[in-house]
Amino acid sequence: MTPIEIGALSVAAIVLLIYFGVYIPIALSAVSFVGIWLMRDNFDLALNLLKIAVSESAMEYTFATVPLFSFMGLIVSRAGLGTDLYAVMSTSFRRVRGGIGMATVGANAGFAAVTGSSIASASVFSKVAVPEMLKYEYNPRFAVGVVAGSSVLGMIIPPSAMLIIYSFVAEQSVGEMFIAGVIPGLMLSGAYILAIFLMGRFTPRFVGGRPAEDYKPMPWSEIINRTGPIAFLIATVIGGIYLGWMTPVEAGAAGSLLGLIIAVLRRSISWKGLWETLIETGHITAAILFLITAASIYSRMLGLAGLPHELDRLLSQNDFGFVQIMFFYVILMLFLGTILDTSSIILIVVPLFLPLIEPMGLSLVWFGIITVIGAEIGLLTPPLGISCFVIKATLDDDRVTLKDVFLGALPFAGVMLVVLITLIAFPSLSLSLLN
């Protein structure tokens, strides 16, 4: 077998193993290791490349962003800031048709800016927002769809774990990736709110809901008390990076310290809770480090196989331009999103396409935003839509089935696709804050 054939079979084997439940880093590293061994018929070479991948990943300075931002997100969750933000938003929008859904999107956007996790958002707002919407007789399908759709904001609004993983795979600045994610994240949030408004006007039966007779405006003092801490935290972290006052690592450290201070002042964390948070941070950090290490050995395997070069040759022979390549790329991500999670898609697809995108003079930062949003659509699509499964597992409500969650999320997946196409057509939207 030629190296290209071995490389192609390796990629197919990785996708198959992940689909059957093999842990992603194990599938990536094991198949890549065997692929290199077969291509070069040299066990020692494969072993040495594996050692290099491990050492380079562990020694990368910017990798410190992972434990710091993970800790910040976990500590903020324990401090109850997501619940407070939702309370303020829902009170403000309660009298608008679909208003509690709009409030859920707004609260999710704010929560995403300090957690960076779609799964955390889905879990928190399933418990907080869905019961509130059901109380006001919203359609259960709409209620869970809003939570599922807005939960993906955690992966595009910085700090995002997926943007960090992409930055390592593509060797891009974490800070630039964070800044580039701000406008697309706000665009997606605004598009969701507009979509809910249009649904309320043209498909009122799908939205449901009744006026909130018990509506009581929240006093400004309470609004400031509930939103002030999270606003200050977001301004410190994102503002510090954008203004150049702090590196992403320093911003993560500052955010972690502020989050811990807020939790202590609110008396929402005990010594036991702090220890549990630290342990969970360690688990997340180890998992992401393992992913990055596996991606490193996988990239080396692809390079030795010459698969990116072969893909470039095939596309050149067929005279594919920018539009055709991006169309093929988006279709591939949407297909993989039905069977794989976001990190798997990024780790498998990005090393294949980077050698095609870079010679075209396109920004790899922009390409990262496109990749993450495209892959995130998979969180809302069956059969593997992880956010949908998390919502169903968290709810424990017989009125909501898994089918309801997927069908409710479908319009929001469509909105994501529209925003993705817009960002592809106008790359400057992602890069404007960097210029």
Side-chain angles (χ1 to χ4, degrees):
M1 292 177 68
T2 65
I4 289 176
E5 290 172 338
I6 293 173
L9 284 174
S10 297
V11 174
I14 288 168
V15 173
L16 199 61
L17 286 173
I18 295 172
Y19 180 71
F20 282 113
V22 177
Y23 188 40
I24 305 163
I26 292 176
L28 278 171
S29 53
V31 173
S32 300
F33 178 84
V34 172
I36 293 170
W37 184 7
L38 292 175
M39 279 185 280
R40 291 292 184 264
D41 193 22
N42 189 329
F43 179 83
D44 290 336
L45 174 63
L47 191 61
N48 287 334
L49 287 177
L50 182 60
K51 290 177 182 177
I52 292 170
V54 173
S55 62
E56 285 185 354
S57 301
M59 296 300 291
E60 185 75 40
Y61 168 72
T62 51
F63 178 72
T65 54
V66 176
L68 291 169
F69 281 114
S70 298
F71 178 79
M72 182 180 73
L74 292 170
I75 207 77
V76 162
S77 268
R78 284 187 175 270
L81 295 187
T83 305
D84 283 349
L85 191 58
Y86 174 74
V88 172
M89 290 283 187
S90 63
T91 300
S92 304
F93 286 91
R94 201 175 292 265
R95 285 185 171 176
V96 181
R97 179 179 288 276
I100 301 181
M102 297 177 188
T104 302
V105 173
N108 245 318
F111 192 62
V114 289
T115 58
S117 170
S118 294
I119 303 304
S121 295
S123 178
V124 168
F125 288 96
S126 294
K127 297 174 184 175
V128 174
V130 174
E132 188 74 2
M133 282 190 268
L134 295 180
K135 173 185 171 184
Y136 285 97
E137 299 176 8
Y138 279 81
N139 184 342
R141 192 168 285 182
F142 170 78
V144 291
V146 169
V147 174
S150 57
S151 70
V152 302
L153 295 171
M155 290 303 187
I156 189 63
I157 295 177
S160 157
M162 291 303 112
L163 291 179
I164 292 174
I165 289 175
Y166 174 85
S167 70
F168 280 105
V169 174
E171 298 181 355
Q172 297 299 299
S173 162
V174 175
E176 289 188 359
M177 290 304 306
F178 281 179
I179 293 169
V182 172
I183 289 180
L186 294 176
M187 279 180 60
L188 190 55
S189 303
Y192 278 160
I193 291 172
L194 177 61
I196 292 171
F197 172 78
L198 294 175
M199 287 179 203
R201 181 157 187 173
F202 297 106
T203 58
R205 290 183 63 186
F206 174 72
V207 176
R210 61 176 173 81
E213 296 87 357
D214 57 348
Y215 171 79
K216 293 180 182 178
M218 189 177 288
W220 279 105
S221 58
E222 188 176 353
I223 291 175
I224 293 171
N225 182 54
R226 285 175 177 262
T227 61
I230 198 168
F232 181 63
L233 192 56
I234 294 170
T236 300
V237 174
I238 304 302
I241 294 174
Y242 180 69
L243 296 173
W245 294 346
M246 293 182 283
T247 65
V249 174
E250 292 166 346
S256 296
L257 179 60
L258 280 174
L260 183 58
I261 291 171
I262 291 168
V264 170
L265 291 176
R266 289 188 161 207
R267 298 179 180 178
S268 57
I269 191 166
S270 62
W271 285 109
K272 181 182 178 183
L274 177 60
W275 176 249
E276 290 172 350
T277 302
L278 290 170
I279 293 295
E280 193 172 351
T281 300
H283 288 163
I284 293 170
T285 302
I288 294 179
L289 177 58
F290 200 1
L291 279 171
I292 293 169
T293 300
S296 180
I297 186 68
Y298 170 68
S299 297
R300 286 172 167 78
M301 184 274 291
L302 290 179
L304 286 173
L307 211 56
H309 177 72
E310 181 66 15
L311 183 60
D312 184 27
R313 187 184 66 80
L314 287 172
L315 293 175
S316 298
Q317 279 183 349
N318 290 280
D319 198 27
F320 282 175
F322 169 76
V323 174
Q324 290 90 346
I325 289 175
M326 292 311 300
F327 176 79
F328 175 69
Y329 185 64
V330 170
I331 293 297
L332 178 62
M333 284 194 296
L334 293 178
F335 167 72
L336 290 177
T338 64
I339 57 174
L340 301 176
D341 64 283
T342 308
S343 57
S344 299
I345 296 171
I346 292 173
L347 296 173
I348 291 170
V349 173
V350 168
L352 277 171
F353 278 82
L354 280 180
L356 304 180
I357 298 299
E358 205 164 9
M360 296 175 70
L362 299 170
S363 166
L364 296 187
V365 173
W366 162 83
F367 185 64
I369 300 299
I370 297 303
T371 299
V372 171
I373 294 179
E376 283 294 293
I377 297 176
L379 289 180
L380 307 180
T381 54
L384 194 69
I386 295 175
S387 284
C388 296
F389 279 99
V390 169
I391 289 167
K392 175 55 184 167
T394 305
L395 267 181
D396 191 25
D397 191 322
D398 293 336
R399 290 174 292 179
V400 178
T401 64
L402 185 60
K403 179 182 176 182
D404 289 328
V405 181
F406 276 120
L407 289 176
L410 192 60
F412 297 94
V415 171
M416 285 187 75
L417 187 58
V418 171
V419 171
L420 177 63
I421 293 170
T422 304
L423 292 171
I424 292 173
F426 303 100
S428 59
L429 290 171
S430 302
L431 303 175
S432 56
L433 292 180
L434 294 172
N435 298 328

